[in-house]
């Protein structure tokens, strides 16, 4: 006959029975989350500048732009099948965005839990515009990345279709009668610019930059890089919209 073995109980100084403390779930520390944000953010910024530089080849000529696009598809062959490098790159991009959003969300939730009581009187202006719009800007960017792939990569939403040359899809995608696409593109790219500006400035602060002079330099570097990136990306759709390309 089996006999159940009772779970041992402990007593405190007052003689009351104390139950074992529940196990706590293992969560990544705030330092690890900040590292995830920093690394994923840096990789995304490098990708954005490399991609923007490639887009500018359309100003050299549509033939050169198409050759560049085909070269990207041939990267990794014969180790990888034709076009696999680009899809691995896109999957990595989406994974990087997902990790970035996850780390940012976790840090935001922890910051709110650390200060459960709201201030009775909050200043009307706290932080920069970029800091206050990071959440909605992130949503716009994610939607834009999905649309961008379906429009210019697969051709699903593109009038020229997916079997045409990349330059033809760019010209058809940003045609004057599709001004609303250019408007959405502009909104997304400007959101990226605000994210980049705030992210670079925050990265300098995380690395220990707290002096007034250093903070001015960090803000200047962040502003210049974000403006350059926005200008690089918007130059293509506006060139198509105004007839300079196409």
């Amino acid at each position: 006959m089996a006999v159940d073995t009772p779970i041992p109980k402990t007593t405190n100084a007052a003689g009351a029975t104390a139950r074992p403390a529940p196990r706590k779930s293992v969560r990544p520390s705030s330092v690890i989350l900040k590292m995830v944000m920093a690394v994923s953010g840096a990789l995304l910024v490098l990708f954005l500048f490399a991609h923007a530089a490639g887009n500018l080849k359309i100003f050299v000529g549509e033939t050169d732009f198409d050759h560049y696009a085909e070269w990207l598809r041939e990267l990794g062959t014969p180790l990888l099948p034709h076009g696999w490098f680009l899809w691995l790159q896109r999957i990595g991009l989406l994974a990087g965005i997902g990790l970035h959003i996850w780390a940012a969300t976790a840090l935001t939730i922890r910051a709110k839990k650390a200060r459960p009581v709201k201030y009775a009187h909050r200043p009307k202006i706290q932080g920069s515009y970029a800091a206050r719009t990071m959440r909605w800007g992130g949503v716009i960017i994610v939607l834009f990345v999905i649309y961008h792939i379906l429009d210019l990569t697969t051709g699903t939403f593109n009038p020229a279709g997916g079997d045409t040359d990349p330059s033809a899809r760019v010209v058809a995608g940003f045609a004057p009668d599709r001004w609303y696409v250019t408007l959405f593109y502009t909104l997304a790219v400007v959101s990226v610019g605000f994210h980049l500006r705030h992210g670079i400035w925050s990265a300098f602060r995380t690395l220990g930059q707290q002096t007034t002079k250093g903070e001015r330099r960090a803000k200047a570097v962040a502003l210049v890089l974000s403006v350059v990136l926005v200008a690089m990306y918007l130059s293509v759709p506006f060139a198509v919209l105004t007839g300079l390309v196409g």
Side-chain angles (χ1 to χ4, degrees):
M1 180 176 178
V3 179
D4 293 335
T5 303
I7 300 175
K9 299 180 179 180
T10 58
T11 57
N12 54 24
T17 302
R19 295 183 177 274
R23 294 182 179 179
K24 294 182 178 180
S25 59
V26 178
R27 298 186 304 168
S29 65
S30 297
V31 175
I32 292 179
L33 290 174
K34 289 180 179 180
M35 290 179 61
V36 171
M37 278 198 68
V39 173
S40 60
L43 292 176
L44 290 173
V45 169
L46 290 176
F47 169 81
L48 286 173
F49 274 99
H51 187 52
N55 289 347
L56 295 180
K57 288 189 70 66
I58 201 168
F59 291 105
V60 180
E62 295 181 11
T63 302
D64 292 295
F65 182 79
D66 292 334
H67 286 168
Y68 165 71
E70 183 61 27
W71 172 76
L72 289 177
R73 291 180 173 85
E74 293 176 352
L75 278 177
T77 56
L79 180 63
L80 296 174
H82 184 269
W84 274 41
F85 172 81
L86 278 179
W87 281 110
L88 290 175
Q89 186 184 66
R90 291 164 189 142
I91 293 172
L93 174 63
L94 292 175
I97 294 175
L99 286 172
H100 200 72
I101 293 175
W102 167 71
T105 303
L107 287 171
T108 301
I109 293 175
R110 290 186 184 183
K112 289 183 177 180
K113 288 183 177 180
R115 187 186 298 164
V117 180
K118 296 183 178 181
Y119 290 116
H121 301 283
R122 295 183 61 186
K124 292 183 179 181
I125 300 177
Q126 287 186 352
S128 65
Y129 176 81
R132 298 195 304 271
T133 56
M134 291 292 278
R135 181 184 304 172
W136 294 112
V139 173
I140 294 172
I141 292 170
V142 171
L143 293 176
F144 167 72
V145 169
I146 297 173
Y147 178 85
H148 190 63
I149 293 176
L150 293 175
D151 182 28
L152 297 180
T153 301
T154 65
T156 306
F157 296 154
N158 194 284
D163 297 329
T164 55
D165 293 331
S167 60
R169 291 198 293 272
V170 171
V171 173
F174 297 116
D177 59 336
R178 284 167 56 89
W179 58 267
Y180 50 90
V181 175
T182 303
L183 179 62
F184 177 53
Y185 190 92
T186 303
L187 178 63
V189 170
V190 171
S191 298
V192 171
F194 278 119
H195 263 68
L196 181 62
R197 176 175 173 266
H198 181 71
I200 293 177
W201 175 75
S202 299
F204 276 111
R205 289 181 62 87
T206 302
L207 293 174
Q209 179 54 64
Q210 300 292 337
T211 64
T212 303
K213 186 176 181 180
E215 188 165 325
R216 286 199 300 267
R217 290 179 178 177
K219 287 183 178 180
V221 171
L223 178 62
V224 169
L225 289 177
S226 59
V227 169
V228 169
L229 184 71
V230 169
M232 291 173 71
Y233 272 101
L234 292 186
S235 62
V236 175
F238 278 97
V240 177
L241 184 66
T242 57
L244 295 177
V245 172

